[in-house]
Amino acid sequence: MVETRLPQDAPARPILVPTEVWRDPERSPDERVDDLLARLTLAEKVGQLGSRWALNDMTADTETSSETSPETSSEDSPDAAPTGAAPSDDLDPDEVLNVAPMQDVFAASGTIALEDAAAQGLGHLTRVYGSVPTTPAGGAAEVMKQQRVVIDGSRLGIPAIVHEECLTGFTAFGATVYPAAIAWGATFDPDLVERMAAAIGRDMAALGIHQGLSPVLDVVRDYRWGRVEETMGEDPYLVSVLGTAYVRGLQGAGVIATLKHFVGYSASRAARNHGPVPMGRRELVDIMLPPFEMAVRLGRVGSVMNSYSDIDGVPAGADPWLLTELLRDTWGFEGTVVSDYWAVPFLTSMHGVAADMDGAGVLALQAGIDVELPDTLGFSQQLVDRVASGELDEAVVDRAARRVLRQKIELGLLDPDWTPEGSVTRAEQVHLDSAENRALAREMAERSVVLLDAGTALPLVGEGRTAPATIAVVGPAASDPRTFMGCYAFPNHVLPRYPSRGLGIEVPSLADALAAELPDARLVHARGCATRGDDRSGFAEAVEAARQADVCVVAVGDLAGLFGHGTSGEGCDAADLTLPGVQGELVAELLATGTPVVVVVVSGRPYALGEIAGRAAGLVQAFMPGEEGGSAIAGVLSGRVQPSGHLPVQIPRHPGAQPSTYLQPRLGVGNDGITTLDVSPLFPFGFGSSYTQFAIDGLELSAAEIATDGEVTVSAVVTNTGDRAGDEVVQLYLRDVVAQVTRPVLQLVGFARVSLEPLESRRVSFTVHADRTAYTGRDLRRIVEPGDVHVMVGSSAGDLPCRGVLRLTGETRVVGVDRVLDTPVHVGPAERVAG
């Protein structure tokens, strides 16, 4: 042993550093891993591949009292219980509430003590903060306790990686609830997403958390799927850019990001959660995989989580082509693959590709999964026997253990000065819902709200109109702030089991926010109906309130939950795209009053609004805008906030004829009299209106022809022709005119969010490499081929005023993993234009 000291800015206490190579920070990670692997027994290597969710051992912190749990202010609304509890029409208090699929089925693992689970070492600790309401200090104490059990109970004392969910922010009691991921898509703003992820990562890192289970990079294929709210939209390039920005932000703060769900999860048959995915290799490669590839190659992500899906009969969790050949051998991924919760035993119980739990573990490990979450079932010590019998090669165990241990080395967990106590030294100073966090949540919310139609009533103030003296505020989303939050936000995810704990954060309802926004107006509130169910008893009160008002604001949409306890969220899939419950009927009766009605949809998926558009005096879409959602929506309605969100998914016209995302070949769009089904959207992908006007023109191509390995600059001028400052999202689409296989009629390849003062213009330039036209040909090789490509620039997939033709020349070129994945964009200086 040799004596050394901590860095200068740490407490000056002498520590002893072992001479073992694996604990020496001066040696390379490879040297340290080699040394440690040589010291571990096979049983200890297997131990590093498992995890423990000590759910039964964790108790809610009694310090999380009502003083830290603000009540909602919607006391007249059963749909928004004052304590933040789920209302009676949404939850049965005696029913088991799972926060992971089939949690009750696998809860038997909870009888295994942490001491026993970690006897040979342990890879991960599962959701210490995210399972019960606890303060940062209480959670930190639990982290220290569990890490001490892991360290003291195993021979070499190797700590565990602590992971948590962070889909709408850190999923913990009292933590900031940012907008859901579908709202990130609506911002079209990767810089903002990166800043948000960095803030989330800083809070998590300060509390001893090493890995976050986000972002979701699934591309939406069917709006009925319950987890649409967790995605960033229906376009692979939009998801790629925003997802990679999230990875950079989270990992820049010292927390490993986890891409999920790899891959195909969002394309299940009939949008059924855990449904089979009948997808060919070409669609998988061209639509579903690009976001993951960009986050791996450009974002250098540290972890990937497998999908529950089986694709063309092969479960992702047992697919070596997906988890090893493609992810590692082709893309060069060097991190860890973690299983989605209980995905390993699902290989037996749900997929039937393994005879028993241990066999499922062998399949998953051989395919490329390194760590089983949230508990060790398939990766149990029975793997030692499988090695002894010759069924499993020990080299496969070594491969996974090496990856896990290397990650622990990179995190500093195996350094001699690391301690559980030292990892959470800042816990007492962490304010999980700080003013800085809330400001960021507000900025994200305001940039995500999409104005679909200003109609005759919006904005409520200014624009030459008299502010309304009386406003009726109606609908279930007007009074329940939980409608602003996704299913992985702590108030919706965990707190329904703790009805006395409130929301844990201050979340003004839309009714409260409108009252603060328009203090001179008289607001009359009537709920009208619940989010779901068929109770129409509140219709009469709501209709009367609307009749007596100058304008009526009705807020309808979703209340997120899990596995049937919501209208959106994991396991809450929809039969069609009708507004849930009787909300559509409520809107129809309000429209019939003759009072101008502004319809606000607060949802996790797009709903069919064809029966509403054109009749409403204003139409707004807010995709679960988080804790500051009320203020953001109220600001857009009043006109204080200039709306600038754009649709990451289309708004359907009809509730049926789905799925129909914009990314379709010719047979997937239009009607032309060949079918009775019309799949044309009410509002197209990328659409977003505002209280000013923009023009996009002046298309220029730096060349009319380029080689199949060349590049071109495509530019256009965007001008604010109105009298208010605002942001426009300039979008670049391409269309391959003739190809070996059917191609989308148009596909987004670049975008830029541009801020402009009135009568100000900027030239936006996109650098487009020929690789951006690549697709998977008939022989399943990705190619760039010669021919004409239509170039289109505009403000949405349905508004593309700038059109040109680019010719690719030369030979068809097969492109590999080194192809160009992104489209760099440059926004030029502002110039004044004549008024």
Side-chain angles (χ1 to χ4, degrees), residues 455-783:
T456 59
L458 296 179
L460 296 175
V461 179
E463 298 291 313
R465 62 170 55 91
T466 303
T470 303
I471 303 174
V473 184
V474 177
S479 55
D480 188 349
R482 291 180 306 128
T483 61
F484 299 152
M485 298 179 266
C487 71
Y488 272 82
F490 199 85
N492 285 341
H493 195 68
V494 174
L495 287 180
R497 290 178 290 153
Y498 302 90
S500 66
R501 300 304 176 98
L503 298 179
I505 50 176
E506 182 182 351
V507 190
S509 69
L510 177 57
D512 291 335
L514 274 172
E517 186 78 26
L518 302 170
D520 295 331
R522 175 174 170 266
L523 269 60
V524 180
H525 174 252
R527 185 178 65 149
C529 66
T531 304
R532 58 183 184 173
D534 58 3
D535 184 1
R536 300 170 178 80
S537 60
F539 277 22
E541 181 188 9
V543 166
E544 183 59 25
R547 284 186 176 134
Q548 300 300 319
D550 298 307
V551 66
C552 172
V553 173
V554 56
V556 293
D558 283 319
L559 178 58
L562 293 166
F563 309 112
H565 293 295
T567 60
S568 174
E570 186 173 359
C572 298
D573 311 312
D576 60 33
L577 297 175
T578 304
L579 284 168
V582 294
Q583 294 181 84
E585 295 179 35
L586 173 64
V587 173
E589 293 208 15
L590 295 172
L591 290 171
T593 64
T595 298
V597 176
V598 175
V599 179
V600 178
V601 182
V602 182
S603 64
R605 65 165 63 86
Y607 284 104
L609 303 178
E611 295 296 318
I612 296 172
R615 300 174 62 200
L619 191 55
V620 172
Q621 173 69 57
F623 290 111
M624 292 184 174
E627 65 180 35
E628 288 288 339
S631 173
I633 297 170
V636 167
L637 295 179
S638 73
R640 172 180 57 82
V641 173
Q642 173 70 286
S644 60
H646 283 247
L647 292 174
V649 288
Q650 298 186 127
I651 300 294
R653 189 180 304 276
H654 307 294
Q658 304 297 332
S660 182
T661 67
Y662 96 96
L663 206 58
Q664 298 286 336
R666 294 180 191 179
L667 286 183
V669 299
N671 188 314
D672 298 327
I674 58 175
T675 175
T676 57
L677 298 178
D678 180 9
V679 296
S680 62
L682 181 64
F683 295 99
F685 173 82
F687 176 84
S689 188
S690 72
Y691 297 140
T692 188
Q693 296 80 43
F694 297 97
I696 301 176
D697 54 21
L699 179 70
E700 292 183 2
L701 276 64
S702 62
E705 295 184 359
I706 61 170
T708 52
D709 63 352
E711 68 179 26
V712 64
T713 299
V714 178
S715 68
V717 176
V718 55
T719 304
N720 183 347
T721 61
D723 57 5
R724 286 190 58 176
D727 288 8
E728 178 62 292
V729 177
V730 180
Q731 301 162 44
L732 169 64
Y733 295 81
L734 298 182
R735 177 184 181 182
D736 195 343
V737 180
V738 178
Q740 290 182 10
V741 298
T742 61
R743 300 289 294 136
V745 295
L746 52 85
Q747 184 167 1
L748 182 75
V749 296
F751 62 89
R753 187 181 179 105
V754 183
S755 298
L756 293 166
E757 294 295 321
L759 301 180
E760 193 173 71
S761 68
R762 296 177 186 262
R763 180 166 287 276
V764 180
S765 301
F766 300 94
T767 302
V768 184
H769 195 279
D771 287 358
R772 302 292 288 118
T773 70
Y775 69 92
T776 302
R778 290 192 177 188
D779 61 1
L780 296 182
R781 295 188 300 172
R782 184 178 274 112
I783 59 173

Side-chain angles (χ1 to χ4, degrees), residues 116-139:
D116 295 331
Q120 300 292 342
L122 195 66
H124 275 239
L125 290 171
T126 297
R127 300 198 62 184
V128 177
Y129 293 89
S131 299
V132 298
T134 183
T135 61

Side-chain angles (χ1 to χ4, degrees), residues 810-827:
E811 299 296 320
T812 297
R813 184 169 64 92
V814 176
V815 296
V817 72
D818 59 344
R819 77 187 191 284
V820 176
L821 297 178
D822 59 350
T823 304
V825 59
H826 171 72
V827 179

Side-chain angles (χ1 to χ4, degrees), residues 151-183:
I151 292 170
D152 297 342
S154 55
R155 183 173 66 90
L156 294 182
I158 299 171
I161 290 173
V162 180
H163 76 258
E164 291 286 353
E165 296 282 5
C166 51
L167 285 165
T168 62
F170 179 18
T171 304
F173 185 80
T176 302
V177 177
Y178 295 93
I182 191 67

Side-chain angles (χ1 to χ4, degrees), residues 193-274:
V193 170
E194 183 170 347
R195 285 195 285 124
M196 176 195 68
I200 295 169
R202 286 191 294 271
D203 286 343
M204 295 173 75
L207 294 177
I209 300 163
H210 310 111
Q211 183 166 346
L213 303 186
S214 192
V216 171
L217 297 189
D218 296 305
V219 178
V220 174
R221 301 301 280 166
D222 189 327
Y223 307 136
R224 297 171 298 176
W225 189 49
R227 303 189 79 166
V228 167
E229 64 172 64
E230 298 177 39
T231 77
M232 286 168 265
E234 66 184 64
D235 179 81
Y237 187 65
L238 177 64
V239 176
S240 297
V241 173
L242 298 182
T244 301
Y246 185 99
V247 168
R248 287 174 173 146
L250 197 73
Q251 295 194 163
V255 175
I256 296 168
T258 308
L259 310 182
K260 59 188 194 184
H261 307 85
F262 192 61
V263 66
Y265 189 28
S266 58
S268 58
R269 182 179 280 124
R272 179 182 177 273
N273 194 38
H274 290 210

